[in-house]
Amino acid sequence: MDRRLYPLFDELAEAPLKATLLKVKPCKPEFAIGLNQAWHSRLPYAQRGPWILAFAATYRNNCFGVALWHNPSARNLPQDWLELRRLAVPLDAPHCTCSYMLGKMRLWIKSNMPQISKLISYQDIEVHTGTIYLAAGWTPAWIVRARVRDRSKPRQGTRRNYRCNSNGEAPDGSGKIRWEMTLGN
């Protein structure tokens, strides 16, 4: 998928020198899904929807980062929380793009969605270190150990099947750290 937002105006695509030159704004989820598929290191395939919120980080009509947000995937978590499900940037994105996006998205959500009390995200500990969350002021709150999931049978207590793991078994079963950011008023 082409990362350009407005291809007619994009003759010379260039990356900004600093992440702070990026404009981080809501975008259509379909746009973020397509670029997530091209850029995400571990989870390129994302559900089509419904997504509560999507963001793009742009510079001179070119995109250098996308993010997708939804209610928490763990059903026992409060529904006034919002979970960052995907955050992806291309290799030519400026240094600190992810942390910068986390900060700008937090501010936008706090201003425009006052019903949201906390932001969460899960870091895959097999391939990421959590640096972006630390730099953005998030707190590690929970560790989920690696596990093997058998999704070949229906869920217990129902005839419904599990959701597919279209990104493969490795990311699905790896250990994770849940990072949190309390919004407060």
CSV table of all heavy atoms in Angstrom, one decimal, residues 46-101:
chain,number,residue,atom,x,y,z
A,46,ALA,N,-4.2,-7.3,10.7
A,46,ALA,CA,-5.1,-6.8,11.7
A,46,ALA,C,-6.5,-7.0,11.2
A,46,ALA,O,-6.7,-7.0,10.0
A,46,ALA,CB,-4.8,-5.3,11.9
A,47,GLN,N,-7.4,-7.1,12.2
A,47,GLN,CA,-8.8,-7.3,11.8
A,47,GLN,C,-9.3,-6.1,11.1
A,47,GLN,O,-8.7,-5.0,11.2
A,47,GLN,CB,-9.6,-7.5,13.1
A,47,GLN,CG,-9.7,-6.3,14.0
A,47,GLN,CD,-10.2,-6.6,15.4
A,47,GLN,OE1,-10.0,-7.7,15.9
A,47,GLN,NE2,-11.0,-5.7,15.9
A,48,ARG,N,-10.3,-6.2,10.2
A,48,ARG,CA,-10.8,-5.1,9.4
A,48,ARG,C,-11.5,-4.1,10.3
A,48,ARG,O,-11.6,-2.9,10.0
A,48,ARG,CB,-11.7,-5.6,8.4
A,48,ARG,CG,-11.0,-6.3,7.2
A,48,ARG,CD,-12.0,-6.6,6.1
A,48,ARG,NE,-13.1,-7.5,6.7
A,48,ARG,CZ,-13.6,-8.5,6.1
A,48,ARG,NH1,-13.3,-8.7,4.9
A,48,ARG,NH2,-14.5,-9.2,6.6
A,49,GLY,N,-12.0,-4.5,11.4
A,49,GLY,CA,-12.7,-3.6,12.3
A,49,GLY,C,-13.6,-4.4,13.2
A,49,GLY,O,-13.6,-5.6,13.3
A,50,PRO,N,-14.4,-3.7,14.0
A,50,PRO,CA,-14.4,-2.2,14.1
A,50,PRO,C,-13.3,-1.7,15.0
A,50,PRO,O,-12.9,-2.3,16.0
A,50,PRO,CB,-15.8,-2.0,14.8
A,50,PRO,CG,-16.0,-3.2,15.7
A,50,PRO,CD,-15.3,-4.3,14.9
A,51,TRP,N,-12.7,-0.6,14.5
A,51,TRP,CA,-11.7,0.1,15.3
A,51,TRP,C,-12.3,1.3,15.9
A,51,TRP,O,-13.1,2.0,15.2
A,51,TRP,CB,-10.5,0.4,14.4
A,51,TRP,CG,-9.8,-0.8,13.9
A,51,TRP,CD1,-9.9,-1.4,12.7
A,51,TRP,CD2,-8.8,-1.5,14.7
A,51,TRP,NE1,-9.1,-2.5,12.7
A,51,TRP,CE2,-8.4,-2.6,13.9
A,51,TRP,CE3,-8.3,-1.4,16.0
A,51,TRP,CZ2,-7.5,-3.6,14.3
A,51,TRP,CZ3,-7.4,-2.4,16.4
A,51,TRP,CH2,-7.0,-3.4,15.5
A,52,ILE,N,-11.9,1.7,17.1
A,52,ILE,CA,-12.4,2.9,17.7
A,52,ILE,C,-11.7,4.1,17.2
A,52,ILE,O,-12.3,5.1,17.0
A,52,ILE,CB,-12.3,2.8,19.3
A,52,ILE,CG1,-13.3,1.7,19.8
A,52,ILE,CG2,-12.6,4.1,19.9
A,52,ILE,CD1,-13.3,1.5,21.3
A,53,LEU,N,-10.4,3.9,16.9
A,53,LEU,CA,-9.6,5.1,16.6
A,53,LEU,C,-8.4,4.6,15.8
A,53,LEU,O,-7.8,3.6,16.0
A,53,LEU,CB,-9.2,5.8,17.9
A,53,LEU,CG,-8.6,7.2,17.9
A,53,LEU,CD1,-9.6,8.1,17.2
A,53,LEU,CD2,-8.4,7.6,19.3
A,54,ALA,N,-8.0,5.4,14.8
A,54,ALA,CA,-6.7,5.2,14.0
A,54,ALA,C,-6.0,6.5,13.9
A,54,ALA,O,-6.6,7.6,13.8
A,54,ALA,CB,-7.0,4.6,12.7
A,55,PHE,N,-4.7,6.5,13.9
A,55,PHE,CA,-3.9,7.7,13.7
A,55,PHE,C,-2.8,7.5,12.6
A,55,PHE,O,-2.4,6.3,12.4
A,55,PHE,CB,-3.1,8.0,15.0
A,55,PHE,CG,-3.9,8.6,16.1
A,55,PHE,CD1,-4.6,7.8,17.0
A,55,PHE,CD2,-4.1,10.0,16.2
A,55,PHE,CE1,-5.4,8.3,18.0
A,55,PHE,CE2,-4.8,10.5,17.2
A,55,PHE,CZ,-5.5,9.7,18.1
A,56,ALA,N,-2.4,8.6,12.0
A,56,ALA,CA,-1.3,8.6,11.1
A,56,ALA,C,-0.4,9.7,11.5
A,56,ALA,O,-0.8,10.8,11.9
A,56,ALA,CB,-1.8,8.8,9.7
A,57,ALA,N,0.9,9.5,11.4
A,57,ALA,CA,1.9,10.5,11.6
A,57,ALA,C,2.5,10.9,10.3
A,57,ALA,O,3.1,10.1,9.5
A,57,ALA,CB,3.1,10.0,12.5
A,58,THR,N,2.3,12.2,9.9
A,58,THR,CA,2.6,12.6,8.5
A,58,THR,C,3.6,13.7,8.5
A,58,THR,O,3.7,14.5,9.5
A,58,THR,CB,1.4,13.0,7.7
A,58,THR,OG1,0.8,14.1,8.4
A,58,THR,CG2,0.4,11.8,7.6
A,59,TYR,N,4.3,13.8,7.4
A,59,TYR,CA,5.2,14.9,7.1
A,59,TYR,C,5.2,15.2,5.6
A,59,TYR,O,5.4,14.2,4.8
A,59,TYR,CB,6.6,14.6,7.5
A,59,TYR,CG,7.6,15.6,7.2
A,59,TYR,CD1,7.7,16.8,7.9
A,59,TYR,CD2,8.6,15.4,6.2
A,59,TYR,CE1,8.7,17.8,7.6
A,59,TYR,CE2,9.5,16.4,5.9
A,59,TYR,CZ,9.6,17.6,6.6
A,59,TYR,OH,10.5,18.5,6.3
A,60,ARG,N,4.8,16.4,5.2
A,60,ARG,CA,4.7,16.7,3.8
A,60,ARG,C,3.9,15.7,3.0
A,60,ARG,O,4.3,15.2,1.9
A,60,ARG,CB,6.1,16.9,3.2
A,60,ARG,CG,6.8,18.1,3.8
A,60,ARG,CD,8.1,18.4,3.0
A,60,ARG,NE,8.7,19.6,3.6
A,60,ARG,CZ,9.9,20.0,3.3
A,60,ARG,NH1,10.6,19.3,2.4
A,60,ARG,NH2,10.4,21.1,3.9
A,61,ASN,N,2.7,15.4,3.5
A,61,ASN,CA,1.8,14.5,2.9
A,61,ASN,C,2.3,13.0,2.8
A,61,ASN,O,1.7,12.2,2.0
A,61,ASN,CB,1.3,15.0,1.5
A,61,ASN,CG,0.6,16.3,1.6
A,61,ASN,OD1,-0.1,16.5,2.5
A,61,ASN,ND2,0.9,17.2,0.6
A,62,ASN,N,3.3,12.7,3.5
A,62,ASN,CA,3.8,11.3,3.5
A,62,ASN,C,3.6,10.8,4.9
A,62,ASN,O,3.8,11.5,5.9
A,62,ASN,CB,5.2,11.2,3.1
A,62,ASN,CG,5.4,11.3,1.6
A,62,ASN,OD1,5.1,10.4,0.8
A,62,ASN,ND2,5.8,12.5,1.1
A,63,CYS,N,3.3,9.5,5.0
A,63,CYS,CA,3.0,8.9,6.3
A,63,CYS,C,4.3,8.2,6.8
A,63,CYS,O,5.0,7.5,6.1
A,63,CYS,CB,1.9,7.9,6.2
A,63,CYS,SG,1.4,7.3,7.8
A,64,PHE,N,4.6,8.4,8.1
A,64,PHE,CA,5.8,7.8,8.7
A,64,PHE,C,5.4,7.0,10.0
A,64,PHE,O,6.3,6.6,10.8
A,64,PHE,CB,6.8,8.8,9.0
A,64,PHE,CG,7.5,9.3,7.8
A,64,PHE,CD1,7.0,10.5,7.2
A,64,PHE,CD2,8.5,8.7,7.2
A,64,PHE,CE1,7.5,11.0,6.0
A,64,PHE,CE2,9.1,9.1,6.0
A,64,PHE,CZ,8.6,10.3,5.4
A,65,GLY,N,4.1,6.7,10.2
A,65,GLY,CA,3.7,5.9,11.3
A,65,GLY,C,2.1,5.8,11.3
A,65,GLY,O,1.5,6.7,10.9
A,66,VAL,N,1.7,4.7,11.8
A,66,VAL,CA,0.2,4.5,11.9
A,66,VAL,C,-0.1,3.7,13.3
A,66,VAL,O,0.8,3.0,13.8
A,66,VAL,CB,-0.4,3.7,10.8
A,66,VAL,CG1,-0.4,4.5,9.5
A,66,VAL,CG2,0.3,2.3,10.6
A,67,ALA,N,-1.3,3.9,13.8
A,67,ALA,CA,-1.6,3.3,15.0
A,67,ALA,C,-3.1,2.9,15.0
A,67,ALA,O,-3.9,3.7,14.4
A,67,ALA,CB,-1.3,4.2,16.2
A,68,LEU,N,-3.5,1.8,15.6
A,68,LEU,CA,-4.9,1.4,15.7
A,68,LEU,C,-5.3,1.1,17.2
A,68,LEU,O,-4.5,0.4,17.9
A,68,LEU,CB,-5.1,0.1,14.9
A,68,LEU,CG,-5.0,0.3,13.4
A,68,LEU,CD1,-4.7,-1.0,12.7
A,68,LEU,CD2,-6.3,0.9,12.8
A,69,TRP,N,-6.4,1.7,17.6
A,69,TRP,CA,-6.9,1.6,19.0
A,69,TRP,C,-8.2,0.9,19.0
A,69,TRP,O,-9.1,1.1,18.1
A,69,TRP,CB,-7.0,3.0,19.6
A,69,TRP,CG,-5.7,3.7,19.7
A,69,TRP,CD1,-5.0,4.4,18.8
A,69,TRP,CD2,-4.9,3.8,20.9
A,69,TRP,NE1,-3.9,5.0,19.3
A,69,TRP,CE2,-3.8,4.7,20.6
A,69,TRP,CE3,-5.1,3.4,22.2
A,69,TRP,CZ2,-2.9,5.0,21.5
A,69,TRP,CZ3,-4.1,3.7,23.2
A,69,TRP,CH2,-3.0,4.5,22.8
A,70,HIS,N,-8.5,0.2,20.1
A,70,HIS,CA,-9.8,-0.5,20.3
A,70,HIS,C,-10.0,-0.7,21.8
A,70,HIS,O,-9.0,-0.4,22.6
A,70,HIS,CB,-9.9,-1.8,19.6
A,70,HIS,CG,-11.3,-2.2,19.3
A,70,HIS,ND1,-12.1,-2.7,20.2
A,70,HIS,CD2,-12.0,-2.2,18.1
A,70,HIS,CE1,-13.3,-2.9,19.7
A,70,HIS,NE2,-13.2,-2.6,18.4
A,71,ASN,N,-11.1,-1.1,22.2
A,71,ASN,CA,-11.4,-1.4,23.6
A,71,ASN,C,-10.4,-2.6,24.0
A,71,ASN,O,-9.9,-3.3,23.1
A,71,ASN,CB,-12.8,-1.8,23.8
A,71,ASN,CG,-13.3,-3.0,23.0
A,71,ASN,OD1,-13.0,-3.1,21.8
A,71,ASN,ND2,-14.0,-3.9,23.7
A,72,PRO,N,-10.2,-2.8,25.3
A,72,PRO,CA,-9.2,-3.8,25.7
A,72,PRO,C,-9.6,-5.2,25.2
A,72,PRO,O,-10.8,-5.6,25.2
A,72,PRO,CB,-9.3,-3.8,27.2
A,72,PRO,CG,-9.7,-2.4,27.5
A,72,PRO,CD,-10.6,-2.0,26.4
A,73,SER,N,-8.6,-6.0,24.7
A,73,SER,CA,-8.9,-7.3,24.2
A,73,SER,C,-9.2,-8.3,25.4
A,73,SER,O,-9.9,-9.2,25.2
A,73,SER,CB,-7.7,-7.9,23.4
A,73,SER,OG,-6.5,-7.8,24.2
A,74,ALA,N,-8.7,-8.0,26.5
A,74,ALA,CA,-9.0,-8.9,27.7
A,74,ALA,C,-10.3,-8.4,28.2
A,74,ALA,O,-10.5,-7.2,28.7
A,74,ALA,CB,-7.9,-8.7,28.8
A,75,ARG,N,-11.3,-9.3,28.2
A,75,ARG,CA,-12.7,-8.9,28.5
A,75,ARG,C,-12.9,-8.5,30.0
A,75,ARG,O,-13.9,-7.8,30.3
A,75,ARG,CB,-13.6,-10.0,28.2
A,75,ARG,CG,-13.7,-10.2,26.7
A,75,ARG,CD,-14.8,-11.3,26.3
A,75,ARG,NE,-14.9,-11.4,24.9
A,75,ARG,CZ,-14.3,-12.3,24.1
A,75,ARG,NH1,-13.6,-13.2,24.7
A,75,ARG,NH2,-14.5,-12.3,22.9
A,76,ASN,N,-12.0,-8.9,30.9
A,76,ASN,CA,-12.1,-8.5,32.3
A,76,ASN,C,-11.6,-7.1,32.6
A,76,ASN,O,-11.7,-6.7,33.8
A,76,ASN,CB,-11.5,-9.6,33.2
A,76,ASN,CG,-10.0,-9.7,32.9
A,76,ASN,OD1,-9.5,-9.3,31.8
A,76,ASN,ND2,-9.3,-10.2,33.9
A,77,LEU,N,-11.0,-6.4,31.6
A,77,LEU,CA,-10.5,-5.1,31.9
A,77,LEU,C,-11.6,-4.0,31.7
A,77,LEU,O,-12.6,-4.3,31.0
A,77,LEU,CB,-9.4,-4.8,31.0
A,77,LEU,CG,-8.1,-5.6,31.2
A,77,LEU,CD1,-7.1,-5.2,30.1
A,77,LEU,CD2,-7.5,-5.4,32.6
A,78,PRO,N,-11.5,-2.9,32.4
A,78,PRO,CA,-12.6,-1.9,32.3
A,78,PRO,C,-12.8,-1.4,30.9
A,78,PRO,O,-11.8,-1.3,30.2
A,78,PRO,CB,-12.1,-0.8,33.2
A,78,PRO,CG,-11.1,-1.4,34.2
A,78,PRO,CD,-10.5,-2.6,33.4
A,79,GLN,N,-14.0,-1.1,30.6
A,79,GLN,CA,-14.3,-0.7,29.2
A,79,GLN,C,-14.1,0.8,29.0
A,79,GLN,O,-14.3,1.3,27.9
A,79,GLN,CB,-15.7,-1.1,28.8
A,79,GLN,CG,-15.9,-2.6,28.7
A,79,GLN,CD,-14.9,-3.2,27.7
A,79,GLN,OE1,-15.0,-2.9,26.5
A,79,GLN,NE2,-14.0,-4.1,28.1
A,80,ASP,N,-13.6,1.5,30.1
A,80,ASP,CA,-13.3,2.9,29.9
A,80,ASP,C,-11.8,3.1,29.6
A,80,ASP,O,-11.2,4.2,29.7
A,80,ASP,CB,-13.7,3.8,31.0
A,80,ASP,CG,-13.0,3.5,32.3
A,80,ASP,OD1,-12.5,2.4,32.5
A,80,ASP,OD2,-13.0,4.4,33.2
A,81,TRP,N,-11.1,1.9,29.4
A,81,TRP,CA,-9.7,1.9,28.9
A,81,TRP,C,-9.7,1.8,27.4
A,81,TRP,O,-10.6,1.3,26.8
A,81,TRP,CB,-9.0,0.7,29.6
A,81,TRP,CG,-8.8,0.8,31.0
A,81,TRP,CD1,-9.4,1.7,31.9
A,81,TRP,CD2,-8.0,-0.1,31.8
A,81,TRP,NE1,-8.9,1.4,33.2
A,81,TRP,CE2,-8.1,0.3,33.2
A,81,TRP,CE3,-7.2,-1.2,31.5
A,81,TRP,CZ2,-7.4,-0.3,34.2
A,81,TRP,CZ3,-6.5,-1.8,32.5
A,81,TRP,CH2,-6.6,-1.4,33.9
A,82,LEU,N,-8.6,2.2,26.8
A,82,LEU,CA,-8.4,2.1,25.4
A,82,LEU,C,-7.1,1.4,25.2
A,82,LEU,O,-6.1,1.7,25.8
A,82,LEU,CB,-8.4,3.5,24.8
A,82,LEU,CG,-8.7,3.6,23.3
A,82,LEU,CD1,-10.0,3.0,22.9
A,82,LEU,CD2,-8.6,5.0,22.9
A,83,GLU,N,-7.1,0.4,24.3
A,83,GLU,CA,-5.9,-0.4,24.0
A,83,GLU,C,-5.3,-0.1,22.7
A,83,GLU,O,-6.0,-0.1,21.6
A,83,GLU,CB,-6.2,-1.9,24.1
A,83,GLU,CG,-5.0,-2.8,23.8
A,83,GLU,CD,-5.3,-4.3,23.8
A,83,GLU,OE1,-6.3,-4.7,24.5
A,83,GLU,OE2,-4.5,-5.0,23.2
A,84,LEU,N,-4.0,0.2,22.7
A,84,LEU,CA,-3.2,0.4,21.4
A,84,LEU,C,-2.9,-1.0,20.9
A,84,LEU,O,-2.2,-1.8,21.5
A,84,LEU,CB,-1.9,1.1,21.7
A,84,LEU,CG,-1.0,1.3,20.5
A,84,LEU,CD1,-1.6,2.0,19.3
A,84,LEU,CD2,0.3,1.9,20.9
A,85,ARG,N,-3.6,-1.4,19.8
A,85,ARG,CA,-3.4,-2.8,19.3
A,85,ARG,C,-2.3,-2.9,18.3
A,85,ARG,O,-1.7,-3.9,18.1
A,85,ARG,CB,-4.7,-3.2,18.7
A,85,ARG,CG,-5.9,-3.3,19.6
A,85,ARG,CD,-6.1,-4.7,20.1
A,85,ARG,NE,-7.3,-4.8,20.9
A,85,ARG,CZ,-8.5,-5.3,20.6
A,85,ARG,NH1,-8.6,-5.9,19.4
A,85,ARG,NH2,-9.5,-5.4,21.4
A,86,ARG,N,-2.1,-1.8,17.5
A,86,ARG,CA,-1.0,-1.8,16.5
A,86,ARG,C,-0.4,-0.4,16.5
A,86,ARG,O,-1.0,0.6,16.5
A,86,ARG,CB,-1.5,-2.1,15.1
A,86,ARG,CG,-2.2,-3.5,14.9
A,86,ARG,CD,-1.2,-4.6,15.0
A,86,ARG,NE,-1.7,-5.9,14.6
A,86,ARG,CZ,-2.5,-6.7,15.3
A,86,ARG,NH1,-2.7,-6.4,16.6
A,86,ARG,NH2,-2.9,-7.8,14.8
A,87,LEU,N,1.0,-0.4,16.3
A,87,LEU,CA,1.7,0.8,16.1
A,87,LEU,C,2.9,0.3,15.2
A,87,LEU,O,3.6,-0.6,15.5
A,87,LEU,CB,2.3,1.3,17.4
A,87,LEU,CG,3.2,2.5,17.3
A,87,LEU,CD1,2.5,3.7,16.7
A,87,LEU,CD2,3.8,2.9,18.7
A,88,ALA,N,2.9,1.0,14.0
A,88,ALA,CA,3.9,0.5,13.0
A,88,ALA,C,4.5,1.8,12.3
A,88,ALA,O,3.8,2.7,12.0
A,88,ALA,CB,3.2,-0.4,12.0
A,89,VAL,N,5.8,1.7,12.1
A,89,VAL,CA,6.5,2.8,11.3
A,89,VAL,C,7.4,2.1,10.3
A,89,VAL,O,7.9,1.0,10.5
A,89,VAL,CB,7.4,3.6,12.3
A,89,VAL,CG1,6.5,4.3,13.3
A,89,VAL,CG2,8.4,2.9,13.0
A,90,PRO,N,7.7,2.9,9.2
A,90,PRO,CA,8.7,2.3,8.2
A,90,PRO,C,10.1,2.5,8.7
A,90,PRO,O,10.4,3.2,9.6
A,90,PRO,CB,8.4,3.2,7.0
A,90,PRO,CG,8.0,4.5,7.6
A,90,PRO,CD,7.2,4.2,8.8
A,91,LEU,N,11.0,1.8,8.0
A,91,LEU,CA,12.4,1.9,8.3
A,91,LEU,C,13.0,3.3,8.2
A,91,LEU,O,13.9,3.6,8.9
A,91,LEU,CB,13.2,0.9,7.5
A,91,LEU,CG,12.9,-0.6,7.7
A,91,LEU,CD1,13.7,-1.4,6.7
A,91,LEU,CD2,13.2,-1.0,9.1
A,92,ASP,N,12.4,4.1,7.4
A,92,ASP,CA,13.0,5.5,7.2
A,92,ASP,C,12.3,6.5,8.1
A,92,ASP,O,12.5,7.7,7.9
A,92,ASP,CB,12.9,5.9,5.7
A,92,ASP,CG,11.5,6.0,5.2
A,92,ASP,OD1,10.6,5.4,5.8
A,92,ASP,OD2,11.3,6.6,4.1
A,93,ALA,N,11.5,6.1,9.0
A,93,ALA,CA,10.9,7.0,10.0
A,93,ALA,C,12.0,7.7,10.8
A,93,ALA,O,13.0,7.0,11.1
A,93,ALA,CB,9.9,6.3,10.9
A,94,PRO,N,11.8,8.9,11.3
A,94,PRO,CA,12.8,9.6,12.1
A,94,PRO,C,12.9,8.9,13.5
A,94,PRO,O,12.0,8.2,13.9
A,94,PRO,CB,12.2,11.0,12.3
A,94,PRO,CG,11.1,11.1,11.4
A,94,PRO,CD,10.6,9.8,11.0
A,95,HIS,N,14.1,9.0,14.1
A,95,HIS,CA,14.3,8.5,15.4
A,95,HIS,C,13.3,9.0,16.4
A,95,HIS,O,12.9,10.1,16.3
A,95,HIS,CB,15.7,8.9,15.8
A,95,HIS,CG,16.2,8.4,17.2
A,95,HIS,ND1,16.3,7.0,17.4
A,95,HIS,CD2,16.4,9.0,18.3
A,95,HIS,CE1,16.7,6.9,18.7
A,95,HIS,NE2,16.7,8.1,19.2
A,96,CYS,N,12.8,8.1,17.2
A,96,CYS,CA,11.8,8.4,18.3
A,96,CYS,C,10.4,8.7,17.8
A,96,CYS,O,9.5,9.2,18.5
A,96,CYS,CB,12.2,9.6,19.1
A,96,CYS,SG,13.8,9.4,20.0
A,97,THR,N,10.1,8.3,16.5
A,97,THR,CA,8.7,8.4,16.0
A,97,THR,C,7.7,7.7,16.9
A,97,THR,O,6.6,8.3,17.2
A,97,THR,CB,8.7,7.9,14.5
A,97,THR,OG1,9.5,8.7,13.7
A,97,THR,CG2,7.2,7.9,14.0
A,98,CYS,N,7.9,6.5,17.3
A,98,CYS,CA,6.9,5.8,18.1
A,98,CYS,C,6.6,6.5,19.4
A,98,CYS,O,5.5,6.7,19.8
A,98,CYS,CB,7.4,4.4,18.3
A,98,CYS,SG,7.4,3.4,16.9
A,99,SER,N,7.6,6.9,20.2
A,99,SER,CA,7.4,7.6,21.4
A,99,SER,C,6.7,8.9,21.2
A,99,SER,O,5.8,9.3,22.0
A,99,SER,CB,8.8,7.8,22.1
A,99,SER,OG,9.4,6.6,22.5
A,100,TYR,N,7.1,9.6,20.2
A,100,TYR,CA,6.4,10.9,19.8
A,100,TYR,C,5.0,10.7,19.5
A,100,TYR,O,4.1,11.4,20.0
A,100,TYR,CB,7.2,11.6,18.7
A,100,TYR,CG,6.6,12.9,18.3
A,100,TYR,CD1,6.8,14.0,19.1
A,100,TYR,CD2,5.8,13.1,17.2
A,100,TYR,CE1,6.3,15.3,18.8
A,100,TYR,CE2,5.3,14.3,16.9
A,100,TYR,CZ,5.5,15.4,17.7
A,100,TYR,OH,5.0,16.6,17.4
A,101,MET,N,4.7,9.6,18.8
A,101,MET,CA,3.3,9.3,18.4
A,101,MET,C,2.5,9.0,19.7
A,101,MET,O,1.4,9.4,19.9
A,101,MET,CB,3.2,8.1,17.5
A,101,MET,CG,3.6,8.5,16.0
A,101,MET,SD,3.4,7.1,14.9
A,101,MET,CE,1.6,6.9,14.9
